[in-house]
Amino acid sequence: MGVNNAANSGFLLWLFIPGLWTVLLLVWVAVGALLGNRPLLHALALAVTLLAVVWCVLSIFWEGAATPPCPGGVPPWWPSFISVPGF
């Protein structure tokens, strides 16, 4: 909430969403060309594609669900001789 709530709306509306649709359409056309005229395989490929997209969205945008945030923003395995900008 707040003033910057819609800061990325232009990016999402004009670049990300059309880009995502384009990638999904190209994948779907490629799968259709590879599978030929087999409706059951098309349905299975669509289900797998949609599950993969849902998994990607959840893993990217559901912050903190998969892994807890690192203490101090730096993972414990990060070597101390390599500086981390911004931390």
Side-chain angles (χ1 to χ4, degrees):
M1 306 273 177
V3 176
N4 293 325
N5 208 17
N8 292 326
S9 64
F11 166 75
L12 290 173
L13 284 175
W14 300 111
L15 295 174
F16 183 76
I17 293 173
L20 181 64
W21 276 105
T22 303
V23 168
L24 288 174
L25 178 67
L26 290 175
V27 167
W28 187 243
V29 168
V31 166
L34 290 173
L35 294 180
N37 191 15
R38 299 180 188 144
L40 189 59
L41 282 178
H42 278 236
L44 181 63
L46 177 61
V48 168
T49 304
L50 290 177
L51 284 174
V53 168
V54 167
W55 177 78
C56 287
V57 167
L58 287 177
S59 66
I60 291 171
F61 295 113
W62 198 349
E63 202 171 307
T67 57
C70 299
V74 181
W77 50 265
W78 190 260
S80 60
F81 59 87
I82 300 175
S83 65
V84 180
F87 295 106

